[in-house]
Amino acid sequence: MDMDKLVSLCKRRGFLFQSSEIYGGLNGFWDYGPLGVELKRNVKEAWWRDMVSGHDDLATPAGAPEPYEMVGLDCTIIMHPQVWKCSGHYDLFHDFMVDCRESKKRYRHDQVRGRWVEYNGRKIFVATQSGGEEGLAETEAKALKFFGLRAKNAVQLEWKSPLEPLTSVEEFSQTLGPDAKELGTLTPPREFNLMFKTYVGALSGEEGAAFLRPETAQGIFVNFKNVCDSSRVRIPFGIAQSGKSFRNEITPRNFTFRSREFEQMEIEFFCRPDSSPEWYKYWRDRRYQWYLDLGLSRERLLLRDHHKDELSHYSVGTADIEYAFPFLPPGEFGELEGIAHRGDFDLRSHMEGKLVREGDKLVVELGADGKPRHRGSGKDLSYFDDERKERYVPHVIEPSAGADRATLAFLCEAYREDNVPDENGKPRERVYLKLHPRIAPLKAAVFPLVNKDGMPEIAEKIYRDLKRHFNVFYDAKGSVGRRYARQDEAGTPYCITVDGQTLQDGTVTLRDRDTLEQTRVKVDGCTEEIRERLR
Ligand code: GAP
Protein backbone atom coordinates (compact mmCIF):
# COMPACT_ATOMS: atom_id res chain seq x y z
CA MET A 1 0.00 0.00 0.00
CA ASP A 2 1.25 3.45 -0.93
CA MET A 3 1.47 5.48 2.29
CA ASP A 4 0.97 8.75 0.39
CA LYS A 5 -2.48 7.57 -0.65
CA LEU A 6 -3.49 6.91 2.96
CA VAL A 7 -2.09 10.25 4.13
CA SER A 8 -4.04 12.01 1.40
CA LEU A 9 -7.27 10.13 2.27
CA CYS A 10 -6.80 11.00 5.95
CA LYS A 11 -6.61 14.69 5.11
CA ARG A 12 -9.32 14.65 2.44
CA ARG A 13 -11.84 12.84 4.63
CA GLY A 14 -10.97 14.51 7.93
CA PHE A 15 -9.16 11.74 9.80
CA LEU A 16 -5.90 13.57 10.46
CA PHE A 17 -4.53 17.06 9.94
CA GLN A 18 -1.14 18.52 10.63
CA SER A 19 -1.30 20.57 13.84
CA SER A 20 -1.45 24.37 13.31
CA GLU A 21 -1.46 23.76 9.57
CA ILE A 22 -2.45 27.32 8.63
CA TYR A 23 0.82 28.49 10.22
CA GLY A 24 2.89 25.93 8.36
CA GLY A 25 2.40 23.09 10.85
CA LEU A 26 4.43 21.98 13.84
CA ASN A 27 6.63 18.95 13.34
CA GLY A 28 5.59 15.94 15.42
CA PHE A 29 2.11 17.18 16.32
CA TRP A 30 -1.12 15.95 14.72
CA ASP A 31 -4.82 16.82 15.02
CA TYR A 32 -7.63 14.30 14.60
CA GLY A 33 -10.48 15.56 12.41
CA PRO A 34 -14.20 14.70 12.69
CA LEU A 35 -13.78 11.10 11.50
CA GLY A 36 -10.37 10.62 13.11
CA VAL A 37 -11.56 11.59 16.56
CA GLU A 38 -14.34 8.99 16.38
CA LEU A 39 -11.94 6.31 15.18
CA LYS A 40 -9.38 6.98 17.91
CA ARG A 41 -12.06 7.20 20.61
CA ASN A 42 -13.42 3.85 19.44
CA VAL A 43 -9.94 2.32 19.65
CA LYS A 44 -9.47 3.67 23.19
CA GLU A 45 -12.99 2.64 24.21
CA ALA A 46 -12.50 -0.87 22.82
CA TRP A 47 -9.31 -1.13 24.88
CA TRP A 48 -11.00 0.18 28.04
CA ARG A 49 -14.06 -2.02 27.58
CA ASP A 50 -12.05 -5.17 26.79
CA MET A 51 -9.38 -4.66 29.47
CA VAL A 52 -11.22 -2.83 32.28
CA SER A 53 -14.97 -2.14 32.37
CA GLY A 54 -15.98 -5.34 30.58
CA HIS A 55 -13.52 -7.53 32.49
CA ASP A 56 -15.16 -10.30 34.52
CA ASP A 57 -13.46 -10.24 37.94
CA LEU A 58 -14.87 -13.65 38.82
CA ALA A 59 -13.84 -15.67 35.80
CA THR A 60 -10.45 -17.10 34.85
CA PRO A 61 -9.83 -15.97 31.27
CA ALA A 62 -8.21 -18.49 28.91
CA GLY A 63 -4.47 -18.60 29.60
CA ALA A 64 -4.67 -16.73 32.95
CA PRO A 65 -3.46 -18.53 36.09
CA GLU A 66 -6.48 -17.36 38.15
CA PRO A 67 -9.24 -14.70 38.22
CA TYR A 68 -8.08 -11.11 38.63
CA GLU A 69 -9.54 -7.65 39.09
CA MET A 70 -9.11 -4.56 36.91
CA VAL A 71 -9.62 -0.91 37.87
CA GLY A 72 -8.80 2.40 36.21
CA LEU A 73 -7.14 5.73 37.01
CA ASP A 74 -6.88 9.17 35.46
CA CYS A 75 -3.78 10.96 36.73
CA THR A 76 -2.37 14.40 36.00
CA ILE A 77 0.04 15.09 33.18
CA ILE A 78 2.31 17.16 35.41
CA MET A 79 3.50 15.30 38.49
CA HIS A 80 6.03 15.93 41.25
CA PRO A 81 9.48 16.18 39.60
CA GLN A 82 10.82 13.55 42.00
CA VAL A 83 8.61 10.97 40.22
CA TRP A 84 10.81 11.23 37.11
CA LYS A 85 14.02 11.22 39.11
CA CYS A 86 13.12 7.97 40.90
CA SER A 87 11.63 6.35 37.79
CA GLY A 88 14.95 6.83 36.01
CA HIS A 89 13.50 9.05 33.25
CA TYR A 90 15.32 12.16 34.46
CA ASP A 91 18.73 10.52 34.12
CA LEU A 92 18.09 8.05 31.36
CA PHE A 93 15.40 9.44 29.15
CA HIS A 94 17.65 10.75 26.49
CA ASP A 95 18.50 9.86 22.96
CA PHE A 96 21.72 10.57 21.17
CA MET A 97 21.58 12.66 18.05
CA VAL A 98 23.95 13.78 15.35
CA ASP A 99 23.63 17.02 13.40
CA CYS A 100 24.83 17.56 9.85
CA ARG A 101 26.71 20.86 9.49
CA GLU A 102 26.16 20.84 5.73
CA SER A 103 22.47 19.93 5.35
CA LYS A 104 21.47 21.30 8.80
CA LYS A 105 19.51 18.11 9.37
CA ARG A 106 19.34 16.23 12.66
CA TYR A 107 19.29 12.45 12.96
CA ARG A 108 18.85 9.94 15.73
CA HIS A 109 22.25 8.30 16.10
CA ASP A 110 20.78 4.79 16.33
CA GLN A 111 18.53 5.27 13.30
CA VAL A 112 21.21 6.09 10.74
CA ARG A 113 22.95 3.22 8.99
CA GLY A 114 25.36 2.87 6.13
CA ARG A 115 28.06 0.79 4.41
CA TRP A 116 31.81 1.03 4.03
CA VAL A 117 32.94 1.30 0.44
CA GLU A 118 36.36 1.63 -1.21
CA TYR A 119 37.31 3.13 -4.56
CA ASN A 120 40.78 3.96 -5.80
CA GLY A 121 42.32 3.29 -2.37
CA ARG A 122 39.90 5.60 -0.57
CA LYS A 123 37.51 4.09 1.99
CA ILE A 124 34.42 5.94 3.17
CA PHE A 125 31.24 5.18 5.14
CA VAL A 126 28.12 6.11 3.16
CA ALA A 127 25.20 6.82 5.50
CA THR A 128 21.46 6.58 4.88
CA GLN A 129 18.23 6.60 6.85
CA SER A 130 16.75 3.80 4.74
CA GLY A 131 17.05 0.09 5.38
CA GLY A 132 16.83 -3.03 3.21
CA GLU A 133 16.95 -2.81 -0.60
CA GLU A 134 16.21 0.91 -0.49
CA GLY A 135 19.22 1.51 1.78
CA LEU A 136 21.48 -0.50 -0.54
CA ALA A 137 20.29 1.38 -3.63
CA GLU A 138 20.63 4.75 -1.90
CA THR A 139 24.16 4.12 -0.63
CA GLU A 140 25.25 2.92 -4.06
CA ALA A 141 23.85 6.02 -5.78
CA LYS A 142 25.52 8.27 -3.20
CA ALA A 143 28.89 6.50 -3.48
CA LEU A 144 28.81 6.75 -7.30
CA LYS A 145 28.09 10.46 -7.08
CA PHE A 146 30.75 11.06 -4.45
CA PHE A 147 33.48 9.31 -6.48
CA GLY A 148 32.25 10.90 -9.73
CA LEU A 149 31.39 7.54 -11.33
CA ARG A 150 28.61 6.62 -13.73
CA ALA A 151 26.06 3.95 -12.90
CA LYS A 152 27.65 1.54 -15.42
CA ASN A 153 30.86 1.70 -13.34
CA ALA A 154 29.17 0.57 -10.15
CA VAL A 155 31.18 -2.68 -10.27
CA GLN A 156 34.33 -0.65 -9.53
CA LEU A 157 33.01 0.14 -6.06
CA GLU A 158 34.33 -2.33 -3.49
CA TRP A 159 31.77 -2.74 -0.72
CA LYS A 160 33.50 -3.54 2.55
CA SER A 161 30.47 -4.09 4.82
CA PRO A 162 26.74 -4.77 4.75
CA LEU A 163 24.38 -2.00 5.97
CA GLU A 164 25.37 -1.43 9.58
CA PRO A 165 24.37 1.15 12.20
CA LEU A 166 26.18 4.47 12.45
CA THR A 167 26.71 3.61 16.13
CA SER A 168 29.42 1.17 14.92
CA VAL A 169 31.46 4.04 13.41
CA GLU A 170 33.86 5.55 15.92
CA GLU A 171 34.43 8.96 14.38
CA PHE A 172 32.86 10.59 11.37
CA SER A 173 35.74 12.15 9.40
CA GLN A 174 35.30 9.56 6.62
CA THR A 175 31.51 9.46 6.86
CA LEU A 176 29.23 10.85 4.17
CA GLY A 177 26.05 12.00 6.01
CA PRO A 178 22.61 10.91 4.71
CA ASP A 179 21.99 14.29 3.05
CA ALA A 180 25.57 15.54 2.64
CA LYS A 181 27.83 15.89 -0.39
CA GLU A 182 31.06 16.13 1.62
CA LEU A 183 32.73 13.88 4.15
CA GLY A 184 32.94 14.63 7.88
CA THR A 185 29.94 16.94 8.22
CA LEU A 186 28.26 14.96 11.03
CA THR A 187 28.79 16.15 14.60
CA PRO A 188 29.65 13.64 17.33
CA PRO A 189 26.49 12.22 18.96
CA ARG A 190 24.98 14.46 21.62
CA GLU A 191 22.52 13.70 24.38
CA PHE A 192 19.04 15.08 24.05
CA ASN A 193 16.50 15.13 26.87
CA LEU A 194 13.18 13.88 25.66
CA MET A 195 11.10 15.31 28.49
CA PHE A 196 9.30 18.61 27.91
CA LYS A 197 10.09 21.01 30.73
CA THR A 198 7.63 23.51 32.12
CA TYR A 199 7.29 25.73 35.19
CA VAL A 200 4.62 25.42 37.86
CA GLY A 201 3.32 28.58 39.55
CA ALA A 202 4.64 32.08 39.17
CA LEU A 203 8.27 31.05 39.61
CA SER A 204 10.18 30.44 36.42
CA GLY A 205 13.34 29.33 38.23
CA GLU A 206 14.47 25.77 38.84
CA GLU A 207 12.31 25.53 42.03
CA GLY A 208 9.20 25.61 39.85
CA ALA A 209 10.54 23.28 37.14
CA ALA A 210 8.41 20.27 36.25
CA PHE A 211 7.94 17.94 33.30
CA LEU A 212 5.09 16.87 31.07
CA ARG A 213 4.80 13.12 31.61
CA PRO A 214 6.63 10.99 29.03
CA GLU A 215 4.46 7.97 29.98
CA THR A 216 1.23 7.39 31.87
CA ALA A 217 2.66 4.44 33.83
CA GLN A 218 4.27 6.39 36.67
CA GLY A 219 0.92 7.89 37.70
CA ILE A 220 -0.22 4.33 38.36
CA PHE A 221 2.82 3.38 40.46
CA VAL A 222 2.64 6.46 42.67
CA ASN A 223 -1.09 5.78 43.28
CA PHE A 224 -0.63 2.08 44.03
CA LYS A 225 -1.15 2.59 47.78
CA ASN A 226 -4.12 4.93 47.26
CA VAL A 227 -5.85 2.34 45.06
CA CYS A 228 -5.14 -0.50 47.52
CA ASP A 229 -6.38 1.57 50.47
CA SER A 230 -9.49 2.97 48.80
CA SER A 231 -10.80 -0.01 46.84
CA ARG A 232 -11.05 -3.64 47.80
CA VAL A 233 -8.66 -4.90 45.15
CA ARG A 234 -6.56 -7.88 46.11
CA ILE A 235 -3.53 -9.19 44.28
CA PRO A 236 -3.53 -10.17 41.45
CA PHE A 237 -5.06 -7.02 39.96
CA GLY A 238 -4.38 -4.47 37.27
CA ILE A 239 -4.67 -0.69 37.10
CA ALA A 240 -5.26 0.84 33.68
CA GLN A 241 -4.83 4.38 32.46
CA SER A 242 -5.00 6.01 29.07
CA GLY A 243 -4.01 9.56 28.31
CA LYS A 244 -1.58 11.99 26.76
CA SER A 245 2.16 11.58 26.97
CA PHE A 246 4.82 13.92 25.65
CA ARG A 247 8.28 13.22 24.32
CA ASN A 248 10.48 15.73 22.62
CA GLU A 249 11.40 13.23 19.91
CA ILE A 250 14.42 14.25 17.85
CA THR A 251 13.13 12.94 14.58
CA PRO A 252 9.34 12.72 14.68
CA ARG A 253 8.26 10.99 11.49
CA ASN A 254 6.20 8.46 9.64
CA PHE A 255 2.91 10.30 10.06
CA THR A 256 1.68 9.84 13.64
CA PHE A 257 3.99 6.87 14.33
CA ARG A 258 6.59 8.95 16.15
CA SER A 259 4.91 12.08 17.49
CA ARG A 260 5.85 14.50 20.22
CA GLU A 261 2.39 14.47 21.78
CA PHE A 262 0.59 11.13 21.74
CA GLU A 263 -1.72 8.94 23.76
CA GLN A 264 -0.85 5.79 25.61
CA MET A 265 -3.04 2.99 26.94
CA GLU A 266 -1.14 1.36 29.79
CA ILE A 267 -1.83 -1.37 32.32
CA GLU A 268 0.27 -2.07 35.38
CA PHE A 269 -0.61 -5.55 36.54
CA PHE A 270 0.41 -6.34 40.13
CA CYS A 271 1.00 -9.96 41.06
CA ARG A 272 2.88 -12.27 43.40
CA PRO A 273 6.55 -12.58 42.45
CA ASP A 274 6.34 -16.37 42.03
CA SER A 275 3.46 -16.23 39.55
CA SER A 276 4.75 -13.26 37.55
CA PRO A 277 6.27 -15.32 34.66
CA GLU A 278 2.85 -16.93 34.03
CA TRP A 279 1.14 -13.55 34.10
CA TYR A 280 3.73 -12.14 31.72
CA LYS A 281 2.92 -14.87 29.23
CA TYR A 282 -0.82 -14.34 29.69
CA TRP A 283 -0.64 -10.61 28.97
CA ARG A 284 1.70 -11.03 26.04
CA ASP A 285 -0.72 -13.41 24.31
CA ARG A 286 -3.86 -11.58 25.38
CA ARG A 287 -2.67 -8.28 23.99
CA TYR A 288 -1.51 -9.84 20.70
CA GLN A 289 -4.94 -11.42 20.26
CA TRP A 290 -6.63 -8.06 20.90
CA TYR A 291 -5.14 -6.54 17.74
CA LEU A 292 -6.07 -9.62 15.72
CA ASP A 293 -9.65 -9.46 17.00
CA LEU A 294 -9.93 -5.85 15.85
CA GLY A 295 -8.82 -6.66 12.35
CA LEU A 296 -5.02 -6.61 12.02
CA SER A 297 -3.84 -9.51 9.90
CA ARG A 298 -1.60 -12.21 11.33
CA GLU A 299 0.82 -11.77 8.39
CA ARG A 300 1.49 -8.14 9.32
CA LEU A 301 1.46 -8.52 13.10
CA LEU A 302 4.46 -9.86 14.98
CA LEU A 303 4.86 -10.88 18.61
CA ARG A 304 8.60 -10.57 19.18
CA ASP A 305 10.33 -11.60 22.39
CA HIS A 306 13.30 -9.40 23.20
CA HIS A 307 16.73 -10.98 23.25
CA LYS A 308 18.40 -11.08 26.66
CA ASP A 309 20.74 -8.20 25.73
CA GLU A 310 17.78 -5.98 24.73
CA LEU A 311 16.14 -6.27 28.16
CA SER A 312 16.17 -3.41 30.67
CA HIS A 313 18.32 -4.21 33.67
CA TYR A 314 15.26 -4.92 35.85
CA SER A 315 13.26 -6.97 33.31
CA VAL A 316 12.83 -10.73 33.32
CA GLY A 317 11.15 -10.67 29.92
CA THR A 318 9.83 -8.18 27.39
CA ALA A 319 7.95 -8.71 24.17
CA ASP A 320 6.93 -6.23 21.52
CA ILE A 321 3.82 -6.40 19.39
CA GLU A 322 4.94 -5.02 16.06
CA TYR A 323 3.18 -4.17 12.83
CA ALA A 324 4.51 -4.15 9.27
CA PHE A 325 3.68 -0.48 8.62
CA PRO A 326 3.75 0.30 4.90
CA PHE A 327 6.26 3.13 5.37
CA LEU A 328 8.88 0.62 6.59
CA PRO A 329 11.10 -1.37 4.22
CA PRO A 330 9.76 -4.88 3.47
CA GLY A 331 10.50 -7.24 6.34
CA GLU A 332 10.72 -4.46 8.94
CA PHE A 333 8.15 -3.96 11.71
CA GLY A 334 7.34 -0.99 13.98
CA GLU A 335 6.38 -1.26 17.65
CA LEU A 336 2.69 -1.01 18.57
CA GLU A 337 2.93 -2.14 22.16
CA GLY A 338 5.50 -3.42 24.63
CA ILE A 339 4.69 -6.01 27.29
CA ALA A 340 7.32 -5.92 29.99
CA HIS A 341 7.97 -7.94 33.10
CA ARG A 342 9.23 -5.15 35.36
CA GLY A 343 9.74 -7.10 38.57
CA ASP A 344 9.52 -4.89 41.67
CA PHE A 345 11.65 -2.13 40.12
CA ASP A 346 9.03 0.62 39.98
CA LEU A 347 7.38 0.26 43.39
CA ARG A 348 10.77 -0.10 45.08
CA SER A 349 12.16 2.93 43.24
CA HIS A 350 9.31 5.07 44.54
CA MET A 351 9.86 3.71 48.07
CA GLU A 352 13.64 3.63 48.34
CA GLY A 353 14.96 5.92 45.59
CA LYS A 354 16.32 5.43 42.11
CA LEU A 355 17.68 1.91 41.71
CA VAL A 356 20.59 0.52 39.73
CA ARG A 357 21.68 -3.05 39.15
CA GLU A 358 24.64 -4.34 41.13
CA GLY A 359 25.34 -7.92 40.11
CA ASP A 360 22.04 -9.75 40.56
CA LYS A 361 20.55 -7.14 42.83
CA LEU A 362 18.83 -3.79 42.45
CA VAL A 363 20.31 -1.28 44.88
CA VAL A 364 19.71 2.40 45.54
CA GLU A 365 22.06 4.47 43.40
CA LEU A 366 24.29 6.65 45.55
CA GLY A 367 25.63 10.11 44.74
CA ALA A 368 29.21 11.30 45.33
CA ASP A 369 28.23 12.18 48.93
CA GLY A 370 27.24 8.55 49.63
CA LYS A 371 23.55 9.53 49.91
CA PRO A 372 20.82 8.28 47.52
CA ARG A 373 21.25 10.03 44.18
CA HIS A 374 17.45 10.49 43.95
CA ARG A 375 15.56 9.94 47.21
CA GLY A 376 12.35 7.89 47.12
CA SER A 377 9.09 8.80 48.86
CA GLY A 378 9.91 6.73 51.93
CA LYS A 379 6.30 5.44 51.86
CA ASP A 380 5.75 1.73 52.30
CA LEU A 381 4.49 0.39 48.96
CA SER A 382 4.68 -3.26 49.98
CA TYR A 383 1.55 -5.38 50.10
CA PHE A 384 0.22 -7.69 52.79
CA ASP A 385 -1.18 -10.86 51.27
CA ASP A 386 -4.07 -11.93 53.54
CA GLU A 387 -4.33 -15.31 51.94
CA ARG A 388 -0.67 -16.22 52.31
CA LYS A 389 -0.10 -14.15 55.43
CA GLU A 390 3.03 -12.63 53.98
CA ARG A 391 4.25 -9.19 52.98
CA TYR A 392 6.04 -8.52 49.70
CA VAL A 393 6.58 -5.88 47.02
CA PRO A 394 4.36 -7.02 44.13
CA HIS A 395 5.89 -7.75 40.75
CA VAL A 396 4.57 -5.86 37.76
CA ILE A 397 3.65 -6.85 34.22
CA GLU A 398 3.21 -3.80 32.02
CA PRO A 399 1.32 -3.97 28.70
CA SER A 400 1.98 -0.49 27.30
CA ALA A 401 0.26 0.46 24.05
CA GLY A 402 0.08 3.60 21.93
CA ALA A 403 -3.42 4.76 20.96
CA ASP A 404 -2.13 6.72 17.97
CA ARG A 405 0.06 3.89 16.70
CA ALA A 406 -2.82 1.42 17.07
CA THR A 407 -5.13 3.83 15.21
CA LEU A 408 -2.53 4.23 12.45
CA ALA A 409 -2.09 0.46 12.15
CA PHE A 410 -5.88 -0.03 11.87
CA LEU A 411 -5.99 2.64 9.15
CA CYS A 412 -3.09 1.09 7.22
CA GLU A 413 -4.64 -2.38 7.44
CA ALA A 414 -8.06 -1.08 6.38
CA TYR A 415 -7.00 0.81 3.25
CA ARG A 416 -8.30 -1.03 0.15
CA GLU A 417 -8.73 -0.32 -3.53
CA ASP A 418 -10.97 -2.29 -5.87
CA ASN A 419 -13.17 -1.98 -8.93
CA VAL A 420 -16.94 -1.99 -8.55
CA PRO A 421 -19.77 -1.37 -11.00
CA ASP A 422 -21.48 2.03 -10.56
CA GLU A 423 -25.28 2.67 -10.76
CA ASN A 424 -25.06 2.25 -14.54
CA GLY A 425 -23.04 -0.96 -14.34
CA LYS A 426 -19.79 0.72 -15.44
CA PRO A 427 -16.63 -0.34 -13.53
CA ARG A 428 -15.48 2.36 -11.13
CA GLU A 429 -12.32 2.47 -9.04
CA ARG A 430 -13.18 2.42 -5.39
CA VAL A 431 -11.17 3.30 -2.28
CA TYR A 432 -12.56 2.01 0.97
CA LEU A 433 -11.54 1.47 4.56
CA LYS A 434 -12.27 -2.03 5.72
CA LEU A 435 -12.36 -1.02 9.39
CA HIS A 436 -13.69 -3.43 11.99
CA PRO A 437 -17.29 -2.23 12.68
CA ARG A 438 -16.42 -1.79 16.37
CA ILE A 439 -13.91 0.93 15.59
CA ALA A 440 -15.45 2.39 12.42
CA PRO A 441 -16.21 6.11 13.05
CA LEU A 442 -19.75 5.76 11.67
CA LYS A 443 -21.70 2.54 11.95
CA ALA A 444 -24.21 3.33 9.21
CA ALA A 445 -25.31 6.07 6.81
CA VAL A 446 -28.91 6.72 5.78
CA PHE A 447 -29.87 8.11 2.36
CA PRO A 448 -33.15 9.01 0.70
CA LEU A 449 -32.69 8.03 -2.95
CA VAL A 450 -34.29 11.32 -4.02
CA ASN A 451 -35.29 14.35 -2.01
CA LYS A 452 -39.00 14.00 -2.66
CA ASP A 453 -41.95 11.58 -2.66
CA GLY A 454 -41.83 11.23 1.12
CA MET A 455 -38.44 9.52 1.03
CA PRO A 456 -36.58 12.13 3.18
CA GLU A 457 -39.21 11.82 5.92
CA ILE A 458 -38.79 8.04 6.15
CA ALA A 459 -34.98 8.31 5.94
CA GLU A 460 -34.92 10.97 8.69
CA LYS A 461 -36.98 8.74 10.96
CA ILE A 462 -34.63 5.77 10.39
CA TYR A 463 -31.66 8.09 11.03
CA ARG A 464 -33.14 9.35 14.30
CA ASP A 465 -34.02 5.84 15.50
CA LEU A 466 -30.48 4.62 14.77
CA LYS A 467 -28.85 7.72 16.22
CA ARG A 468 -30.22 6.86 19.66
CA HIS A 469 -27.94 3.81 19.68
CA PHE A 470 -25.08 4.34 17.21
CA ASN A 471 -23.08 7.05 15.51
CA VAL A 472 -24.79 7.29 12.12
CA PHE A 473 -24.82 9.84 9.31
CA TYR A 474 -27.59 11.30 7.17
CA ASP A 475 -26.75 12.26 3.61
CA ALA A 476 -29.21 13.52 1.00
CA LYS A 477 -26.72 15.29 -1.28
CA GLY A 478 -25.40 14.13 -4.66
CA SER A 479 -25.91 10.91 -6.58
CA VAL A 480 -26.34 7.77 -4.52
CA GLY A 481 -23.11 6.43 -6.08
CA ARG A 482 -21.15 9.40 -4.75
CA ARG A 483 -22.77 9.02 -1.36
CA TYR A 484 -21.71 5.36 -1.22
CA ALA A 485 -18.19 6.36 -2.28
CA ARG A 486 -17.94 8.93 0.53
CA GLN A 487 -19.04 6.37 3.11
CA ASP A 488 -16.66 3.74 1.71
CA GLU A 489 -13.78 6.15 2.23
CA ALA A 490 -15.01 6.87 5.76
CA GLY A 491 -15.07 3.12 6.49
CA THR A 492 -18.82 3.05 7.24
CA PRO A 493 -19.82 -0.63 7.24
CA TYR A 494 -23.49 -0.18 6.25
CA CYS A 495 -25.54 2.18 4.09
CA ILE A 496 -29.34 2.26 4.22
CA THR A 497 -31.21 3.69 1.23
CA VAL A 498 -34.87 4.63 1.15
CA ASP A 499 -36.10 4.17 -2.44
CA GLY A 500 -39.24 3.76 -4.53
CA GLN A 501 -39.88 0.27 -3.21
CA THR A 502 -39.87 1.58 0.37
CA LEU A 503 -43.07 3.47 -0.38
CA GLN A 504 -44.69 0.28 -1.61
CA ASP A 505 -43.54 -2.42 0.81
CA GLY A 506 -41.92 -0.60 3.75
CA THR A 507 -38.44 -2.04 3.12
CA VAL A 508 -35.09 -0.30 2.49
CA THR A 509 -31.83 -1.51 0.93
CA LEU A 510 -29.00 -2.29 3.29
CA ARG A 511 -25.62 -2.27 1.54
CA ASP A 512 -22.59 -4.00 3.00
CA ARG A 513 -19.34 -2.02 2.50
CA ASP A 514 -17.13 -5.08 2.04
CA THR A 515 -19.27 -7.51 0.05
CA LEU A 516 -21.38 -4.81 -1.67
CA GLU A 517 -24.29 -7.14 -1.08
CA GLN A 518 -27.64 -5.33 -0.94
CA THR A 519 -30.47 -6.84 1.07
CA ARG A 520 -33.94 -5.52 1.81
CA VAL A 521 -34.80 -4.87 5.42
CA LYS A 522 -38.04 -3.65 7.02
CA VAL A 523 -37.94 0.06 7.90
CA ASP A 524 -38.85 -0.77 11.50
CA GLY A 525 -36.22 -3.51 11.67
CA CYS A 526 -33.22 -1.30 10.76
CA THR A 527 -31.97 -0.68 14.31
CA GLU A 528 -32.18 -4.35 15.23
CA GLU A 529 -30.54 -5.42 11.97
CA ILE A 530 -27.60 -3.02 12.46
CA ARG A 531 -27.26 -4.07 16.10
CA GLU A 532 -27.19 -7.73 15.06
CA ARG A 533 -24.59 -7.12 12.35
CA LEU A 534 -22.35 -5.10 14.68
CA ARG A 535 -22.42 -7.82 17.31
N1 GAP B 1 5.69 2.72 30.22
C1 GAP B 1 6.40 2.07 29.17
C2 GAP B 1 6.52 2.87 27.96
O1 GAP B 1 6.16 4.03 27.90
P1 GAP B 1 7.37 2.77 25.48
O2 GAP B 1 7.76 1.58 24.64
O3 GAP B 1 8.32 3.88 25.56
O4 GAP B 1 7.04 2.17 26.92
C3 GAP B 1 4.83 2.47 24.92
O5 GAP B 1 5.96 3.31 24.97
C4 GAP B 1 4.05 2.69 23.64
O6 GAP B 1 3.74 4.07 23.50
C5 GAP B 1 4.82 2.32 22.37
O7 GAP B 1 4.73 0.95 22.08
C6 GAP B 1 4.09 3.16 21.34
O8 GAP B 1 2.91 2.52 20.91
C7 GAP B 1 3.72 4.41 22.13
N2 GAP B 1 4.71 5.49 21.85
C8 GAP B 1 5.90 5.67 22.44
N3 GAP B 1 6.52 6.74 21.93
C9 GAP B 1 5.69 7.25 20.98
C10 GAP B 1 5.76 8.37 20.08
N4 GAP B 1 6.79 9.19 20.08
N5 GAP B 1 4.73 8.58 19.23
C11 GAP B 1 3.65 7.76 19.22
N6 GAP B 1 3.54 6.70 20.05
C12 GAP B 1 4.54 6.44 20.92
Side-chain angles (χ1 to χ4, degrees), residues 182-195:
E182 287 172 27
L183 292 180
T185 61
L186 296 182
T187 62
R190 285 185 300 165
E191 244 175 301
F192 194 83
N193 198 323
L194 291 182
M195 283 201 290

Side-chain angles (χ1 to χ4, degrees), residues 13 40 335:
R13 295 311 324 270
K40 187 169 152 189
E335 180 186 323

Side-chain angles (χ1 to χ4, degrees), residues 321-336:
I321 299 173
E322 300 179 337
Y323 183 71
F325 284 99
F327 47 75
L328 297 171
E332 283 194 22
F333 290 74
E335 180 186 323
L336 278 182

Side-chain angles (χ1 to χ4, degrees), residues 305-339:
D305 283 303
H306 281 205
H307 297 295
K308 268 256 169 299
D309 52 2
E310 272 182 277
L311 296 180
S312 319
H313 60 91
Y314 46 77
S315 182
V316 172
T318 297
D320 282 344
I321 299 173
E322 300 179 337
Y323 183 71
F325 284 99
F327 47 75
L328 297 171
E332 283 194 22
F333 290 74
E335 180 186 323
L336 278 182
E337 170 161 353
I339 298 97

